């Protein structure tokens, strides 16, 4: 039973446990009205033993430790009793002031002690036993504590939550108040505080909705929102209109603000040919403009330099390798291998079953005796593992190849990679910023082969690198369209390619085969329009039907892929239901609205170079400590420790979005698809989802939703500038 909003005032008598990194503390606390101390726990920073605090939180009963108080908020306060004053002044807050000296001060001034220190600190010199050095130290600490209280009080008064107030004070200290009063939109530099939060604070401070500070922050915010939608650039006029409409700012103010942001180099503007082949003024944040510029420059640099190794007699080399491995390439595959031997940079694209992996394996066998150093990489750990398994050659994540750390990549232009040949798989997943970092580290003399499926969803991050490089026509491209016999026997492969070219899968053929042969297939469609019943069927399929009939592990072999986060069939709700079904009783801890339990399947949500875990990595929780809110997760690369402040990096992964599944394959996938997903019903989303399944794909939904997705080829085209940058360098199309 939890009681909310309980307030306690008292002294932190003893710190039993503290974590200086995240501020978590367990201690004993003596209230003003109690004779015996109580146990308290929670996030409390910049505090010491014997300090007087006001706590806000709730009581809870722990199975082992009994009744204790869980802290939600805290505030340093001045004690009011003579005894409390002595304890406070002799605490660690005031270094150099022992209990004897504190007693002298309080004996001299009584209950007016703190008023004297505040208003007439010079009177401390009249206290017996207080030296000048002690007086100076006490006053400095007093000012700091008063400043902390003032800052915290101010921040809470303008609507800043306690946790964010801690972050703001940690960064700006006693300067927090004047900085925020001058421009509250500076708070957007604090992790977790976005424009909308800062905007609310500004309103509380009386800022005008058309203030220059708001206009500047609003424009940058709108561009960041477009970057989340994949755009590296955005049309100038559309940006003005959207910002004016959504944030209620006058267009004239926005126009003048854009000019100022351009002058301050916080924005970049160019006229770029849009998707309709019309010249249009586009706006970009400098990091995207510079990244695309460097990608183009590096492509130009690599294309126009001599290779370490020159191949002659390509045809005979290929013939020799075919005899060696007992394989005859089809014409398109042979074209791809020949192009790899002839060109510095090559793109190979094709769908499932078209032989991309076969080509990579063949090229590795042909080139390894002739090139001493070859690098094989992919954007994610799962994709790297898959290419390692299918080619028999060790592959790495791009981050590992670049020797990533929390201070950046160790490999760059000044410290380049050493490989003479670099092959990147799943290139469609690589966004502009990552491709920029990768190409910066590629030696000029190296060969580069980019492999991927351009028809899949584009990268989660901003940009459309693979598509832009292909459409620029500046790099040789080999497209594989032929589906090989073994793959053609798979309904997964056949239906994926039907979707890719705009055809709806033939579900009647599936049912006929089931009826005729009574055999297990690799592709099923279950009709259901009611979202609640779809959830029930997902639970049944995940935990009973598929594990029993296909002998698959429900936790690690089966993955639910959904188009959206929200809604009844969104990943958030599905994760809650699947966790209740598959792992209901394990020991766990609560973080925000989510429970993490031992045994749960979880996904890393951002790159952490220090821990060597990256966005999209899947793992299982192997231990947790509800007391400290810490846990350990086992990933393929090892066990990783998470502190309380790092739990935002994790989410449950029984169900994930299709976007998050890119570069991964699963033994079985279950895909809910209904008209409730209207905004996300796109051909490349359905195609990507289907191609994630190796042994089994189960679609649950309506034929109308599937038809809508297949018909919707007009996926929102991203506004990017890479093709423009390539043309600016004089790279003309090859074809």
């Amino acid at each position: 039973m939890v009681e909310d909003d309980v307030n306690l005032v008292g002294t932190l008598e003893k710190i039993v446990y503290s974590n200086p990194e995240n501020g978590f503390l367990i201690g004993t606390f003596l209230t003003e009205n109690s004779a015996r101390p109580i146990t308290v726990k929670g996030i409390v920073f910049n505090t010491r033993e014997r300090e007087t605090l006001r706590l806000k939180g709730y009581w809870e009963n722990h199975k082992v430790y009994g009744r204790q108080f869980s802290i939600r908020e805290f505030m340093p306060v001045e004690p009011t009793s003579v005894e409390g004053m002595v304890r406070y002044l002799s605490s660690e807050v005031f270094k150099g002031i022992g209990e004897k000296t504190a007693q002298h001060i309080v004996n001299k001034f009584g209950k007016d002690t703190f008023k004297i220190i505040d208003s007439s600190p010079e009177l401390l010199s009249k206290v017996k036993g207080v030296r000048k050095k002690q007086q100076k130290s006490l006053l400095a600490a007093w000012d700091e504590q008063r400043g902390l209280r003032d800052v915290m009080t101010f921040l809470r008064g303008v609507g800043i939550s306690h946790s964010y107030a801690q972050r703001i004070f940690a960064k700006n200290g006693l300067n927090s108040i004047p900085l925020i009063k001058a421009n509250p939109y500076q708070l957007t530099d604090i992790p977790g505080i976005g424009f909308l939060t800062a905007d609310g604070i500004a309103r509380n401070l009386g800022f005008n909705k058309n203030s220059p500070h708001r206009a500047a922050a609003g424009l940058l915010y709108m561009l960041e929102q477009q970057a989340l939608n994949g755009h590296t650039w955005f049309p100038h006029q559309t940006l003005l209109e959207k910002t004016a409409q959504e944030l209620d700012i006058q267009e004239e103010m926005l126009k003048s603000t854009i000019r100022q942001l351009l002058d301050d180099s916080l924005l970049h503007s160019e006229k770029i040919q849009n998707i309709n082949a019309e010249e249009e003024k586009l706006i970009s944040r400098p990091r995207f403009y510079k990244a695309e510029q460097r990608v183009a420059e590096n492509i130009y640099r690599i294309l126009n330099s001599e290779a370490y190794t020159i191949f002659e007699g390509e045809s005979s080399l290929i013939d020799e390798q075919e005899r060696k491995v007992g394989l005859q390439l089809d014409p398109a595959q042979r074209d791809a291998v020949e192009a790899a031997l002839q060109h510095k940079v090559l793109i190979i694209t094709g769908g499932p079953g078209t032989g991309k992996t076969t080509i990579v394996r063949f090229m590795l066998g042909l080139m390894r005796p002739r090139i001493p150093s070859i690098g094989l990489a992919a954007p994610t750990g799962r994709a790297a593992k898959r290419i390692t398994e299918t080619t028999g050659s060790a592959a790495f994540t791009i981050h590992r190849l670049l020797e990533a750390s929390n201070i950046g990549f160790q490999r760059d232009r000044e410290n380049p990679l050493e490989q003479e040949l670099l092959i990147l798989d799943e290139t469609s997943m690589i966004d502009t910023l990552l491709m920029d970092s990768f190409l910066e580290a590629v030696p000029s003399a190296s060969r580069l082969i980019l492999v991927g499926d351009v028809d899949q969803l584009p990268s989660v991050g901003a940009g459309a690198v693979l598509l832009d490089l292909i459409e620029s026509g500046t790099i040789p491209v080999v497209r594989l369209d032929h589906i090989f016999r073994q793959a053609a026997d798979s309904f997964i492969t056949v239906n994926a390619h039907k979707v890719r070219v705009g055809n709806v899968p033939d579900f009647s053929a599936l049912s006929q085969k089931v009826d005729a042969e009574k055999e297990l297939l690799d592709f099923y469609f279950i009709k259901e329009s009611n979202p609640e019943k779809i959830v029930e069927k997902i639970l049944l399929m995940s935990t009973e039907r598929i594990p029993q009939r296909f002998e698959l592990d429900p936790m690690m072999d089966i993955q639910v892929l959904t188009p959206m986060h929200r809604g009844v069939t969104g990943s958030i709700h599905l994760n809650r239901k699947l966790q209740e079904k598959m792992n209901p009783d394990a020991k766990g801890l609560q973080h925000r609205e989510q429970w993490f339990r031992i045994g749960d399947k979880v996904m890393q949500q951002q790159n952490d170079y220090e821990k060597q875990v990256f966005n999209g990595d899947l793992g299982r929780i192997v231990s947790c400590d509800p007391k400290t809110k810490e846990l350990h997760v086992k990933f393929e690369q090892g066990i990783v420790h998470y502190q309380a402040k790092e739990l935002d990096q994790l989410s449950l992964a029984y169900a994930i979005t299709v976007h998050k599944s890119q570069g991964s394959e699963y033994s079985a996938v279950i895909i809910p698809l209904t008209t409730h997903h209207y905004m996300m019903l796109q051909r490349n989303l359905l195609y990507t989802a289907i191609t994630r399944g190796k042994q089994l794909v189960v679609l649950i939904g309506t034929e109308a939703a599937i038809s809508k997705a297949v018909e919707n080829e007009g996926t929102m085209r991203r506004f990017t500038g890479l093709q423009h940058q390539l043309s600016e360098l004089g790279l003309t199309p090859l074809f």
Side-chain angles (χ1 to χ4, degrees):
M1 184 75 181
V2 173
E3 185 183 0
D4 288 324
D5 298 328
V6 177
N7 290 279
L8 302 178
V9 177
T11 306
L12 183 64
E13 294 292 296
K14 186 178 181 180
I15 297 175
V16 179
Y17 169 86
S18 72
N19 186 330
E21 293 188 9
N22 61 16
F24 183 83
L25 173 148
I26 301 172
T28 57
F29 190 79
L30 186 64
T31 67
E32 294 177 333
N33 303 316
S34 67
R36 302 174 71 181
I38 61 171
T39 300
V40 297
K41 64 171 188 176
I43 305 296
V44 182
F45 72 99
N46 283 10
T47 194
R48 300 170 180 87
E49 290 183 350
R50 304 179 75 181
E51 188 169 357
T52 302
L53 304 171
R54 179 182 291 112
L55 306 179
K56 182 178 180 179
Y58 57 89
W59 290 100
E60 63 178 16
N61 288 310
H62 194 277
K63 293 179 183 177
V64 178
Y65 302 103
R67 185 170 168 82
Q68 54 188 14
F69 190 80
S70 188
I71 304 166
R72 282 185 174 167
E73 300 179 7
F74 80 97
M75 179 71 73
V77 295
E78 297 167 1
T80 55
S81 69
V82 170
E83 296 81 5
M85 289 179 177
V86 173
R87 284 200 304 270
Y88 182 51
L89 290 175
S90 61
S91 71
E92 290 185 11
V93 174
F94 303 97
K95 294 185 184 292
I97 307 296
E99 190 170 345
K100 190 175 179 180
T101 303
Q103 191 70 61
H104 284 318
I105 296 171
V106 176
N107 286 345
K108 178 74 173 175
F109 303 118
K111 290 190 174 182
D112 292 329
T113 296
F114 291 162
K115 289 181 183 177
I116 296 294
I117 296 173
D118 251 344
S119 59
S120 305
E122 69 278 0
L123 295 178
L124 287 169
S125 61
K126 300 187 179 203
V127 180
K128 180 184 176 183
V130 179
R131 300 186 301 273
K132 284 187 178 181
K133 188 176 179 180
Q134 287 177 305
Q135 183 180 342
K136 186 177 179 181
S137 174
L138 187 153
L139 292 175
W142 184 266
D143 287 341
E144 184 179 341
Q145 290 300 301
R146 182 173 58 188
L148 171 60
R149 289 193 294 273
D150 290 346
V151 169
M152 296 297 286
T153 301
F154 169 78
L155 294 175
R156 298 306 310 278
V158 296
I160 297 175
S161 71
H162 190 76
S163 61
Y164 286 136
Q166 294 181 52
R167 298 181 192 181
I168 293 167
F169 184 82
K171 181 179 180 182
N172 299 311
L174 300 179
N175 293 321
S176 299
I177 295 175
L179 285 171
I180 293 170
K181 283 184 174 180
N183 179 11
Y185 295 99
Q186 295 178 78
L187 293 174
T188 55
D189 293 335
I190 303 292
I193 299 181
F195 170 81
L196 297 178
T197 301
D199 200 35
I201 295 164
R203 284 197 301 273
N204 290 336
L205 292 173
F207 272 70
N208 187 285
K209 66 181 181 181
N210 286 302
S211 79
H213 292 313
R214 184 170 188 265
L219 283 163
L220 296 177
Y221 163 72
M222 293 299 292
L223 275 176
E224 288 303 319
Q225 291 301 109
Q226 298 313 314
L228 293 175
N229 292 329
H231 306 295
T232 56
W233 294 75
F234 206 64
H236 176 272
Q237 188 58 39
T238 308
L239 177 64
L240 284 174
E241 292 169 359
K242 284 180 72 71
T243 307
Q245 181 180 356
E246 294 186 25
L247 302 183
D248 193 21
I249 303 174
Q250 294 174 357
E251 271 201 42
E252 287 305 311
M253 169 57 72
L254 292 172
K255 288 178 181 178
S256 65
T257 303
I258 284 181
R259 288 194 292 270
Q260 187 60 54
L261 290 170
L262 288 168
D263 289 342
D264 295 339
S265 299
L266 295 173
L267 292 179
H268 186 85
S269 174
E270 281 196 28
K271 288 185 177 180
I272 297 177
Q273 197 173 79
N274 65 20
I275 56 177
N276 298 317
E278 300 168 342
E279 200 172 62
E280 186 173 19
K281 186 179 181 181
L282 298 180
I283 302 287
S284 177
R285 296 297 303 270
R287 73 178 188 278
F288 290 120
Y289 162 71
K290 291 175 181 176
E292 288 184 329
Q293 188 179 56
R294 284 191 296 266
V295 168
E297 289 173 348
N298 282 315
I299 289 290
Y300 183 89
R301 170 178 61 84
I302 298 166
L303 281 172
N304 288 278
S305 63
E306 292 185 2
Y308 287 113
T309 304
I310 306 298
F311 294 96
E312 296 179 352
E314 297 93 345
S315 185
S316 61
L317 289 175
I318 296 171
D319 292 341
E320 181 186 336
Q321 186 65 17
E322 283 183 327
R323 288 192 296 272
K324 184 178 177 180
V325 299
L327 172 70
Q328 185 173 0
L329 301 174
D330 86 335
Q333 290 178 317
R334 191 177 181 94
D335 287 346
V337 178
E338 284 185 355
L341 297 173
Q342 294 169 351
H343 299 284
K344 286 293 304 298
V345 184
L346 173 69
I347 295 173
I348 301 172
T349 184
T354 57
K356 296 192 301 295
T357 302
T358 300
I359 290 174
V360 171
R361 191 166 54 240
F362 187 93
M363 288 191 300
L364 288 170
L366 188 153
M367 293 182 175
R368 209 173 280 285
R370 298 166 176 85
I371 296 179
S373 181
I374 298 176
L376 190 59
T380 67
R382 292 183 68 87
K385 183 183 179 185
R386 182 164 55 82
I387 196 69
T388 297
E389 292 171 346
T390 54
T391 64
S393 298
F396 305 94
T397 63
I398 295 174
H399 298 86
R400 186 175 174 187
L401 192 70
L402 298 180
E403 299 174 19
S405 71
N406 282 346
I407 60 171
F409 296 113
Q410 303 306 303
R411 295 287 184 172
D412 53 21
R413 187 74 67 90
E414 302 302 317
N415 182 31
L417 296 165
E418 298 171 359
Q419 291 83 357
E420 295 183 24
L421 169 64
L422 288 153
I423 302 175
L424 284 191
D425 196 29
E426 296 287 355
T427 307
S428 63
M429 294 180 61
I430 304 175
D431 61 35
T432 298
L433 298 180
L434 183 56
M435 183 61 83
D436 171 33
S437 296
F438 171 73
L439 291 177
E440 277 285 284
V442 175
S444 297
S446 291
R447 296 174 180 271
L448 179 61
I449 300 173
L450 307 176
V451 183
D453 187 350
V454 75
D455 295 311
Q456 287 188 25
L457 285 168
S459 58
V460 175
V465 176
L466 182 61
L467 179 63
D468 283 346
L469 289 174
I470 290 174
E471 291 194 344
S472 73
T474 58
I475 298 172
V477 178
V478 178
R479 179 142 198 169
L480 307 175
D481 291 314
H482 176 70
I483 303 173
F484 288 87
R485 183 173 178 179
Q486 186 176 355
D489 292 334
S490 164
F491 279 106
I492 295 175
T493 302
V494 170
N495 285 324
H497 283 277
K498 282 186 176 182
V499 170
R500 182 180 68 81
V501 298
N503 295 323
V504 176
D506 186 359
F507 299 121
S508 62
L510 290 174
S511 59
Q512 289 169 10
K513 189 170 179 67
V514 171
D515 293 339
E517 302 183 22
K518 304 293 183 183
E519 65 178 31
L520 293 176
L521 304 182
D522 63 358
F523 195 102
Y524 293 88
F525 172 59
I526 300 172
K527 289 185 183 181
E528 183 56 67
S529 59
N530 185 307
E532 296 290 349
K533 289 185 178 178
I534 289 176
V535 173
E536 291 175 7
K537 285 183 167 62
I538 289 173
L539 296 178
L540 180 65
M541 288 289 170
S542 300
T543 60
E544 297 180 33
R545 294 284 179 82
I546 294 175
Q548 291 169 5
R549 298 189 68 187
F550 291 85
E551 298 181 351
L552 295 174
D553 183 336
M555 187 73 76
M556 301 310 294
D557 291 336
I558 303 169
Q559 185 63 59
V560 179
L561 304 180
T562 179
M564 302 177 72
H565 288 289
R566 304 287 176 184
V568 176
T569 57
S571 61
I572 297 172
H573 183 249
L574 284 171
N575 270 315
R576 192 177 301 122
K577 290 293 191 180
L578 286 161
Q579 185 188 50
E580 289 173 2
K581 184 78 172 177
M582 299 172 72
N583 193 29
D585 302 318
K587 177 183 175 183
L589 60 88
Q590 187 173 9
H591 177 67
R592 305 191 190 280
E593 298 177 356
Q594 191 166 235
W595 274 93
F596 290 120
R597 296 175 181 145
I598 294 174
D600 277 339
K601 181 164 63 172
V602 292
M603 175 177 279
Q604 177 75 10
Q605 293 296 317
Q606 63 189 64
N607 295 330
D608 190 318
Y609 305 118
E610 189 172 307
K611 297 181 187 297
Q612 288 293 295
V613 287
F614 304 103
N615 192 350
D617 285 353
L618 286 176
R620 289 188 73 175
I621 298 173
V622 292
S623 71
C624 75
D625 188 339
K627 184 170 63 177
T628 61
K629 288 199 168 183
E630 295 177 297
L631 51 79
H632 290 82
V633 179
K634 184 178 182 180
F635 293 97
E636 288 176 354
Q637 59 269 44
I639 294 176
V640 177
H641 172 236
Y642 290 84
Q643 300 173 6
K645 64 180 182 181
E646 299 170 322
L647 295 183
D648 282 338
Q649 297 185 25
L650 294 174
S651 68
L652 293 176
Y654 297 94
I656 62 175
T657 63
V658 179
H659 284 83
K660 282 290 189 182
S661 73
Q662 289 177 262
S664 299
E665 284 187 337
Y666 313 94
S667 296
V669 297
I670 303 172
I671 309 163
L673 210 67
T674 75
T675 50
H676 293 84
H677 300 131
Y678 183 82
M679 294 297 293
M680 301 299 294
L681 294 179
Q682 299 164 355
R683 185 185 299 177
N684 59 0
L685 181 138
L686 178 56
Y687 173 73
T688 301
I690 292 173
T691 56
R692 298 310 89 200
K694 291 191 293 184
Q695 295 174 235
L696 177 66
V697 171
V698 179
L699 286 176
I700 306 178
T702 64
E703 290 183 279
I706 294 168
S707 296
K708 172 67 181 174
V710 171
E711 291 166 6
N712 187 12
E713 186 184 11
T715 306
M716 182 179 64
R717 181 64 184 261
R718 295 183 170 185
F719 291 100
T720 61
L722 181 54
Q723 290 192 57
H724 171 74
Q725 295 288 359
L726 289 165
S727 65
E728 286 288 287
L729 290 172
L731 283 172
T732 56
L734 298 170
F735 310 103

